[in-house]
Amino acid sequence: METTVPAHPEALSRSWQGSNQSARQTVGDIGSGGDRVVFSEWEGPASKPVDRGSRWLWKLFLGIFIPQERQRFLPTASGYVLIILAVGLCAAAYNTGSNILFLVLALLLSLFILSGVLSWMNFRSLRWRAEGELPFRCGQRGTIRVRVDNRKRYLPTEEVFFSLQDKEQKHQEVIPLKVPLAAGETVWERSIVIPAKRGRMKVILSGAQSKFPFGFMKKSIGRPIPLEFPVWPKRISCRVQQHPWSQKHLHGETSRHPGQGDDLIQIRRYEYGDPFHLVHWKATARTGRIMIRKMAGDEKEGLYFYLDTNKRLWRSEESFENFCRLAGSLAEKLFAAGQFRGYFGPTQSLALIKKEEEVWHFLDLLSGLARETPRPSKERPIIRKNTLQFEPYGETGAQAILAGQVFATS
Amino acid sequence: MEKRELKPSLPAKSSPPAEILQLHWQLGVVGYLLGFIAFSGLFVTPLAIGPWFAFGLVVMVGFFLFPRWSGAIPAKVWRAAQILVVAVFGLDLFLGGGIIEALVRLNILLVTYRVVSPRSRRDDWQLVLVGLFLIIISGVFSVSAWFIPQALLFTATTMFFLRGVNRLDSMEYRQAVPQYWQEFRWSSFWEGTNFLASRIQWAVGGLGFLFLVALSALIFVAIPRLDLDSRFEFLQVRGMQSLSGFDEEMGLQDITNILQDNTPALRVDVPEDASLPAVPYWRMLAFDQYENGRFRLSRSVAEKQESWRGRQATSVDFDWERADIGPGNVNARWTFFLEPGVSRYLPLGGPFGELRLQEEQSFRHVPALQIIGQPFVNGSVFIYQFRGKGVFAERIPDPELALRLETAEAGAYPQTTVELPVNEASREYLQEVNAQLRGEEELSALGYARRVSEYLQERHGYSLQSQVPGGDKDIVVRWMESGNPAHCEYFAAALVLLLREQGIPARVAVGFAGGRRNAFEGHITVRYSDAHAWVEVFDDGYWHRVDPTPSAEGEDGTGEESAEENGLGFLQDTGFGAFLDGMRMLWYRRIVSFDEAEQSDFFTRQRERLEALGEEIKAAAVGVRQAVMDWLRGPWDLRRGATLLGLILFLALAIGVARVLRWRWKFWWWRWRGGAAARHPIREKASRGLRRLQHQRVSGPERRDNLAEIEKALLIFRYGPEAQWPDSPTKSLDQLLLKLKRN
């Protein structure tokens, strides 16, 4: 939901300075969807401090008439009609010597100039940047927001729009400013994107564009902002088979000995990356600090993923895609159950998973995974009994194998 | 690449939000306004478009009163109407209407159609363009002063209209509301949204319009004017009829009919240093032939009309000799603005130094009678300029007339100026009167004409109602016998007949006599009610003007006394009517007749004014500096010290008051904009303080603590509830910012 809130740049800019699209800095108090992340630096006339040098007034005056860097003006269809009309009027005025025609010509030219001046005032002291919510998953709705600050003191900004261009999918989405933005206010305008495939999504956020005030000219200012995001594999509901391991670890285990199993054995302080479901709320409330449960099951041996991207194994692109989906979905499911320990591959050394952030890295890795011809290696990785291996299932599917038995299928 | 521009967020079939409907309605009503404004110029246009104009107006008013009609008519009918409009235009052209008139009629239909039919974005633009075309056409052809308010109104409404169109386009629902008129309700028309949602937008719009007007004036004045040799004449409207009496034939009642109209017929911009007679005569025509109560141009004169074409000419170009036109500035400009439909003959005072026109023109001129006429009657105001000395010659040279009189055949000019085609009884009466008046004294032709004038003035009174008894004699003779009062044509005709009976060449001249000075613009306004007929008598190589009508000024009507000499001056037009006339003159003078010479003069004047202003400022600055220095160098005493102290205190007080007023202004402004909490002046000031704080370089723990304390206090001002603010927040905030500055 878009909200218009008073700008408090001095508060926010400090916390977001230096961020870029690869960083995941959470602004926890805004919104309730995904994580709000700043994707880009500020752009626009107000993105830099105003140069109040000795000739700033002169520059300001010139700026009205001479297009500045990254400013583009393109007549619209109606603008072209008016230009032709003005040329025709000019010819008629000179050929007839009629001052009535000169007067109309003067009015028309003034209207053009007024249009430019109003447009310049509309863009003045405007800044914007891309924000959004991570993660982006293939086939699922993701959000990119344009935060627009009108830093003028008196005048509103209106009828500005941005476009979000996905060159790979040859698609362009227009993000309009739906209501006039009053002086000193901020608005977030949202664009929903649905990534079509796993990998890296590259979109370009255009500069601010507007046909304000009369629609003669389409004007744009600011440079295009290239944005790039990892697109995680699509989350699927993987079918976990009747496997002894899953019977024991995922569905619970009976034991005759007290103190064993998934009992609480300790409460410790929160560490960055601890999953939220382990928060011990009562202890947190009593101590005033976030406390985390340590369960008996945490000490048990979880599962490791062996990621083999061999082309000979994954003969079709579709089955490989399903492998990525299965691996990603299982990883999240197992991590939630506290059973995802790490991953490795023929050329990838073992990476341990302890924090949620490391699961994100794993999913980032999956987003960039591709079938490849294996390079000869002297060392064969050790496949232990708690290692999940993936192999094709049928023509297009994929399945996870644990200790020689099918663990889950896509 | 697929471009998804402003895709509707709502499904096409769902009903649009109320505010979108309202915007459509408002746009529709503003469209009607545009149509009415465009039509308003047609009231004064001379083109033959009456029925079309009436049709368009009736349709627009009908649909305006019942807007739902637009929605009720099926789309197929609207499409058929488009085809019909094109067909009507084709038929109009085929039936031989002029191309300009046909285009204007097409334009009227297009404006009407676009105003009343449901419009898309493209149609909105078309409405603006056809409306503009209609305004240009009516302005160019009528040259009416209404053009200025009309163009400004149209521009302001168009700005408003285009803002609405653009706004609606940016709201994504444009395509979703094809038949918005179906749900029109006047009751909810002004509720909710409109194009300019806030007061600040209205203010910007108003200021923008003033800026536009000022800029247009500047561009109009500064745009280079080129003196192109050949210009198109298609902007001249022709085919009108001259007023009866101001054409090539005049009856005894014609001028009197014109006299009933009190509207202006001619305006004259008089040079500042010009000397005007008390009653100026603006001569248009002279009639040499008389027959049974009617004066006309004789066939021989009409056949000798010559054509002339150009932009400027002298009297010599018209085969007129340079006359003794008295003292005066040879560069003086007399600009004449002749209203449309008066006559195709130009009012002239007499021979002139130079005649200048706005564009190249064709003329017919009659050297014998010294009249200049256009081939057609102007449908719009006609502007021409004389340069040279005074244009009011009381006599017109014609040195060869006496010779030509001897050789001319009967019925040919100049014999026509002495011929007396009346019956014997009439001639006997004329001889009898002449015998009575002539006596034994030797009089020149002019002297005798004056005596006859006196006789007629004594015998007859002036009246617009003339009664002539019946009988066999000539109508003028019957009137002379009756002793009844009458108007100028009778007096002029009687004088001509009496003079011709004596063998003295005489002819009747018509035009205007008199005029009033406009108190606002200083020009002379000559009205239709100043229409007049008088006599020209040939004597000693000149045609002398003699006015026998009793109401005319001066003993013999020659109006020799200038306004300055008689001390009376011109009668002045004052009041609101004169103000409007002044505005019209301003329009003619500053806009319609603005040319390269005027442009050059304008810039020269501005340069001189600027130079004079610069000199004045410089002199004032030097004077002030000198005065201050003198005061400082003078001997110091207690009084001077007290004065200086008082001055300093006054300045301090003024600065304090200015600061208070500035704060009050800020609060007023904040309240005017709705008093949003985020834009509270104190919060904005605190915000600036926080920004300043952000750029402070922190060194040392003590300073850091101070800054932290200031930041905390500033944050309360910026974001905290007003209840947490101190009692006098303005003062406290100022102190806080001062502390920040010093830290």
Side-chain angles (χ1 to χ4, degrees):
Chain A
M1 180 182 170
E2 280 68 41
T3 47
T4 302
V5 299
H8 39 98
E10 66 281 355
L12 293 184
S13 59
R14 266 186 290 174
S15 64
W16 288 353
Q17 262 171 5
S19 62
N20 55 48
Q21 68 258 40
S22 64
R24 289 191 176 87
Q25 285 177 282
T26 304
V27 185
D29 58 342
I30 302 172
S32 57
D35 294 338
R36 282 283 179 94
V37 177
V38 173
F39 290 154
S40 70
E41 298 288 341
W42 288 111
E43 185 55 57
S47 60
K48 293 173 189 167
V50 178
D51 174 20
R52 300 261 175 184
S54 57
R55 300 176 67 188
W56 74 274
L57 254 176
W58 176 241
K59 284 179 187 170
L60 191 73
F61 176 73
L62 280 184
I64 295 173
F65 301 104
I66 302 170
Q68 303 294 296
E69 190 187 0
R70 298 194 300 270
Q71 291 186 359
R72 288 183 183 81
F73 299 85
L74 194 68
T76 58
S78 47
Y80 277 117
V81 169
L82 279 193
I83 289 170
I84 292 167
L85 182 72
V87 172
L89 269 175
C90 187
Y94 275 110
N95 277 301
T96 58
S98 167
N99 279 321
I100 305 267
L101 294 179
F102 276 117
L103 201 61
V104 177
L105 182 66
L107 273 170
L108 206 60
L109 293 178
S110 306
L111 200 62
F112 269 117
I113 293 172
L114 177 68
S115 161
V117 172
L118 289 178
S119 174
W120 171 78
M121 285 162 67
N122 197 44
F123 278 133
R124 209 172 149 259
S125 295
L126 199 68
R127 67 174 187 179
W128 62 89
R129 69 181 178 193
E131 297 177 5
E133 292 169 7
L134 289 178
F136 287 95
R137 279 180 191 276
C138 175
Q140 291 181 12
R141 289 156 62 96
T143 304
I144 295 176
R145 291 168 196 271
V146 185
R147 175 188 159 147
V148 188
D149 285 1
N150 176 11
R151 305 191 79 188
K152 288 192 280 290
R153 188 172 288 184
Y154 301 114
L155 299 175
T157 288
E158 50 192 309
E159 290 169 27
V160 169
F161 61 94
F162 301 85
S163 63
L164 201 61
Q165 200 177 32
D166 185 344
K167 284 192 173 172
E168 281 185 16
Q169 291 190 39
K170 296 183 177 176
H171 176 77
Q172 182 168 301
E173 178 82 23
V174 174
I175 310 172
L177 213 63
K178 292 192 182 70
V179 290
L181 185 60
E185 288 190 341
T186 296
V187 73
W188 280 267
E189 294 293 356
R190 188 177 62 173
S191 173
I192 302 294
V193 289
I194 304 175
K197 60 180 183 180
R198 174 185 59 85
R200 306 290 292 178
M201 184 175 72
K202 293 177 183 174
V203 291
I204 296 172
L205 179 69
S206 72
Q209 302 169 59
S210 178
K211 294 178 187 172
F212 180 86
F214 305 125
F216 302 154
M217 296 274 185
K218 185 176 177 182
K219 290 143 279 193
S220 69
I221 56 165
R223 63 187 170 191
I225 303 172
L227 304 170
E228 189 174 343
F229 316 99
V231 178
W232 293 353
K234 189 175 182 179
R235 185 183 277 161
I236 56 171
S237 54
C238 46
R239 296 188 294 275
V240 178
Q241 306 293 320
Q242 295 290 325
H243 191 280
W245 189 92
S246 61
Q247 289 289 324
K248 182 178 176 184
H249 295 96
L250 294 180
H251 304 140
E253 180 189 26
T254 54
S255 174
R256 292 178 183 174
H257 305 286
Q260 289 186 343
D262 289 345
D263 290 343
L264 179 69
I265 56 171
Q266 192 189 351
I267 298 174
R268 61 174 175 83
R269 285 181 66 176
Y270 169 81
E271 288 174 14
Y272 180 68
D274 282 334
F276 288 136
H277 72 272
L278 291 180
V279 174
H280 192 294
W281 294 107
K282 278 187 182 176
T284 300
R286 280 197 206 103
T287 59
R289 291 171 172 167
I290 300 175
M291 303 303 287
I292 297 293
R293 290 174 291 166
K294 190 170 183 186
M295 313 300 288
D298 293 349
E299 302 297 318
K300 290 177 187 172
E301 195 178 59
L303 295 179
Y304 293 87
F305 285 15
Y306 177 69
L307 306 173
D308 190 354
T309 57
N310 194 335
K311 265 190 173 173
R312 288 179 199 153
L313 177 65
W314 305 103
R315 292 182 182 278
S316 76
E317 195 64 53
E318 206 172 351
S319 62
F320 185 75
E321 196 59 41
N322 276 321
F323 148 60
C324 292
R325 290 173 183 175
L326 181 62
S329 304
L330 272 180
E332 288 185 86
K333 188 167 186 172
L334 290 173
F335 181 76
Q339 302 297 339
F340 184 30
R341 289 288 174 264
Y343 58 92
F344 62 102
T347 56
Q348 158 94 41
S349 56
L350 177 66
L352 294 175
I353 300 286
K354 288 181 179 173
K355 302 171 182 174
E356 189 179 4
E357 200 175 51
E358 286 157 352
V359 182
W360 297 346
H361 287 151
F362 173 69
L363 290 165
D364 279 352
L365 176 79
L366 285 181
S367 74
L369 219 54
R371 291 187 304 154
E372 54 190 21
T373 309
R375 281 173 292 179
S377 172
K378 290 178 182 175
E379 292 181 15
R380 282 183 61 83
I382 303 163
I383 308 294
R384 292 188 291 185
K385 63 175 183 179
N386 62 341
T387 300
L388 268 180
Q389 294 183 79
F390 297 88
E391 60 183 36
Y393 170 64
E395 287 292 313
T396 57
Q399 60 185 6
I401 307 292
L402 180 66
Q405 290 186 44
V406 175
F407 180 75
T409 55
S410 64
Chain B
M1 181 179 289
E2 178 200 353
K3 284 199 175 181
R4 199 145 59 94
E5 292 248 353
L6 304 176
K7 184 185 172 188
S9 296
L10 290 175
K13 286 182 180 175
S14 67
S15 61
E19 63 170 328
I20 303 297
L21 269 181
Q22 275 175 338
L23 276 177
H24 269 287
W25 295 341
Q26 289 167 13
L27 209 55
V29 171
V30 176
Y32 275 101
L33 262 181
L34 280 179
F36 288 130
I37 294 169
F39 265 47
S40 67
L42 299 177
F43 279 108
V44 286
T45 190
L47 299 168
I49 49 165
W52 304 72
F53 170 57
F55 167 77
L57 201 60
V58 166
V59 171
M60 283 207 305
V61 169
F63 275 77
F64 181 71
L65 293 176
F66 305 98
R68 287 189 178 208
W69 289 357
S70 296
I73 294 174
K76 283 180 185 173
V77 177
W78 287 120
R79 279 197 291 274
Q82 277 182 341
I83 297 166
L84 190 67
V85 167
V86 176
V88 167
F89 173 63
L91 196 66
D92 192 15
L93 271 183
F94 179 73
L95 292 177
I99 179 78
I100 293 287
E101 280 86 353
L103 276 175
V104 175
R105 289 192 278 260
L106 169 70
N107 218 41
I108 289 172
L109 292 182
L110 282 178
V111 169
T112 309
Y113 175 77
R114 280 295 165 228
V115 166
V116 301
S117 63
R119 293 189 299 271
S120 67
R121 184 178 193 279
R122 199 184 61 181
D123 301 332
D124 283 332
W125 272 96
Q126 202 182 55
L127 172 60
V128 171
L129 290 179
V130 290
L132 181 66
F133 182 72
L134 209 55
I135 286 179
I136 292 173
I137 285 287
S138 56
V140 163
F141 284 110
S142 67
V143 199
S144 160
W146 169 245
F147 178 79
I148 284 284
Q150 187 193 21
L152 291 180
L153 268 174
F154 189 81
T155 307
T157 315
T158 301
M159 282 169 63
F160 196 65
F161 184 73
L162 294 182
R163 281 292 303 116
V165 172
N166 217 32
R167 178 89 190 277
L168 204 55
D169 284 341
S170 71
M171 293 181 79
E172 307 185 12
Y173 295 96
R174 182 69 168 186
Q175 300 305 320
V177 194
Q179 295 290 328
Y180 48 91
W181 284 118
Q182 280 177 351
E183 299 179 44
F184 183 84
R185 290 185 303 277
W186 278 110
S187 57
S188 53
F189 178 67
W190 285 114
E191 290 171 7
T193 317
N194 60 50
F195 304 155
L196 305 174
S198 66
R199 279 176 286 189
I200 189 88
Q201 286 169 316
W202 278 100
V204 170
L207 287 175
F209 180 67
L210 292 180
F211 170 78
L212 179 111
V213 172
L215 193 63
S216 301
L218 195 68
I219 292 176
F220 176 77
V221 171
I223 202 164
R225 302 295 206 279
L226 301 178
D227 190 6
L228 295 181
D229 287 337
S230 55
R231 286 171 166 167
F232 297 135
E233 280 186 56
F234 72 89
L235 298 182
Q236 291 171 337
V237 185
R238 307 171 182 195
M240 293 181 78
Q241 294 291 318
S242 287
L243 290 173
S244 181
F246 287 161
D247 212 344
E248 293 172 3
E249 188 171 324
M250 182 193 80
L252 289 173
Q253 191 64 31
D254 290 345
I255 299 295
T256 312
N257 291 338
I258 298 172
L259 286 171
Q260 313 293 328
D261 188 351
N262 200 36
T263 54
L266 173 72
R267 294 179 183 83
V268 185
D269 221 355
V270 182
E272 286 176 6
D273 56 350
S275 169
L276 269 177
V279 180
Y281 282 75
W282 318 92
R283 180 178 181 272
M284 292 167 75
L285 270 163
F287 302 108
D288 62 317
Q289 194 171 43
Y290 173 78
E291 191 174 0
N292 198 23
R294 296 193 74 78
F295 286 92
R296 62 172 67 91
L297 297 182
S298 64
R299 184 178 293 174
S300 63
V301 164
E303 283 172 355
K304 284 181 184 171
Q305 288 190 18
E306 292 174 9
S307 292
W308 170 83
R309 186 174 175 80
R311 266 197 82 189
Q312 59 189 60
T314 61
S315 287
V316 176
D317 294 326
F318 293 109
D319 298 331
W320 299 0
E321 286 193 13
R322 286 189 183 278
D324 173 18
I325 50 177
N329 181 1
V330 290
N331 292 317
R333 294 179 193 168
W334 298 70
T335 312
F336 288 62
F337 303 88
L338 182 65
E339 285 293 300
V342 176
S343 174
R344 61 195 177 95
Y345 293 95
L346 304 187
L348 305 170
F352 46 84
E354 187 183 58
L355 168 66
R356 285 179 70 88
L357 304 163
Q358 279 196 306
E359 56 196 65
E360 196 172 292
Q361 293 271 325
S362 293
F363 276 103
R364 298 189 305 177
H365 66 100
V366 185
L369 301 178
Q370 293 187 318
I371 53 178
I372 301 176
Q374 291 178 274
F376 52 86
V377 180
N378 262 296
S380 56
V381 69
F382 183 70
I383 303 167
Y384 55 101
Q385 193 176 69
F386 290 121
R387 295 189 186 197
K389 300 177 189 176
V391 295
F392 298 100
E394 61 199 67
R395 56 182 194 172
I396 300 170
D398 196 353
E400 295 173 5
L401 187 93
L403 186 65
R404 281 189 286 161
L405 202 56
E406 289 171 9
T407 56
E409 296 173 6
Y413 186 84
Q415 273 296 329
T416 46
T417 60
V418 290
E419 284 175 354
L420 190 61
V422 293
N423 59 21
E424 202 53 40
S426 303
R427 191 179 292 274
E428 281 173 11
Y429 177 77
L430 293 172
Q431 283 170 350
E432 192 181 312
V433 174
N434 272 331
Q436 181 192 334
L437 291 173
R438 173 68 82 176
E440 294 179 359
E441 193 182 347
E442 278 295 320
L443 285 173
S444 66
L446 178 61
Y448 183 66
R450 287 174 179 167
R451 176 172 289 181
V452 176
S453 291
E454 286 168 14
Y455 162 76
L456 290 171
Q457 286 166 12
E458 283 167 12
R459 185 168 164 75
H460 301 275
Y462 183 83
S463 169
L464 287 176
Q465 305 295 325
S466 53
Q467 289 185 341
V468 183
D472 295 336
K473 292 179 184 169
D474 185 87
I475 182 171
V476 178
V477 173
R478 277 183 274 139
W479 170 73
M480 288 167 69
E481 282 179 336
S482 72
N484 289 340
H487 39 82
C488 56
E489 296 103 307
Y490 280 91
F491 286 93
L495 178 56
V496 165
L497 294 191
L498 285 167
L499 291 176
R500 287 185 182 183
E501 195 283 325
Q502 289 287 299
I504 301 171
R507 62 195 186 192
V508 168
V510 293
F512 300 99
R516 283 170 169 246
R517 184 178 177 278
N518 184 283
F520 297 93
E521 283 299 313
H523 64 276
I524 305 294
T525 304
V526 180
R527 298 171 189 281
Y528 285 104
S529 53
D530 294 321
H532 195 46
W534 61 91
V535 175
E536 288 175 349
V537 183
F538 185 77
D539 184 20
D540 196 20
Y542 289 93
W543 287 99
H544 295 268
R545 182 173 65 228
V546 179
D547 190 346
T549 309
S551 63
E553 296 284 341
E555 188 183 342
D556 57 7
T558 53
E560 285 176 350
E561 283 182 312
S562 72
E564 286 172 357
E565 284 167 356
N566 65 21
L568 297 172
F570 259 70
L571 287 173
Q572 289 216 61
D573 274 339
T574 53
F576 186 66
F579 171 75
L580 287 182
D581 196 54
M583 290 294 104
R584 192 170 287 119
M585 189 61 190
L586 206 60
W587 155 253
Y588 289 145
R589 188 187 285 163
R590 298 279 176 243
I591 295 175
V592 176
S593 64
F594 189 79
D595 59 7
E596 60 270 22
E598 293 269 344
Q599 190 178 38
S600 172
D601 284 355
F602 175 81
F603 283 113
T604 307
R605 281 199 303 274
Q606 299 315 311
R607 198 188 64 208
E608 287 168 358
R609 273 183 200 168
L610 271 178
E611 283 172 359
L613 186 69
E615 288 298 320
E616 278 176 24
I617 291 172
K618 197 175 166 185
V622 168
V624 168
R625 182 175 167 273
Q626 192 60 42
V628 170
M629 293 304 288
D630 289 348
W631 191 78
L632 288 173
R633 281 178 192 143
W636 283 85
D637 54 14
L638 194 60
R639 188 164 156 268
R640 289 165 64 82
T643 308
L644 188 63
L645 192 65
L647 199 66
I648 291 168
L649 284 175
F650 174 76
L651 278 176
L653 189 70
I655 291 169
V657 168
R659 282 172 66 92
V660 169
L661 287 178
R662 189 163 164 260
W663 261 106
R664 287 196 180 272
W665 155 256
K666 283 191 171 192
F667 274 94
W668 178 85
W669 175 255
W670 169 67
R671 282 194 201 96
W672 190 73
R673 293 182 63 200
R679 281 179 255 139
H680 194 289
I682 288 180
R683 291 188 194 280
E684 285 195 332
K685 198 169 183 179
S687 175
R688 285 198 294 279
L690 280 167
R691 268 202 291 274
R692 203 182 305 156
L693 189 76
Q694 202 181 334
H695 296 108
Q696 292 270 353
R697 287 184 181 173
V698 183
S699 61
E702 191 184 338
R703 197 156 169 254
R704 188 176 297 134
D705 289 346
N706 281 343
L707 286 180
E709 193 183 327
I710 293 170
E711 184 178 19
K712 194 176 169 186
L714 282 176
L715 283 170
I716 290 172
F717 278 112
R718 178 67 184 91
Y719 300 111
E722 289 184 30
Q724 282 187 16
W725 291 355
D727 290 338
S728 54
T730 312
K731 197 175 171 184
S732 304
L733 185 58
D734 281 343
Q735 285 172 353
L736 206 59
L737 293 174
L738 195 66
K739 200 172 163 186
L740 176 65
K741 203 174 177 181
R742 286 175 181 164
N743 202 305

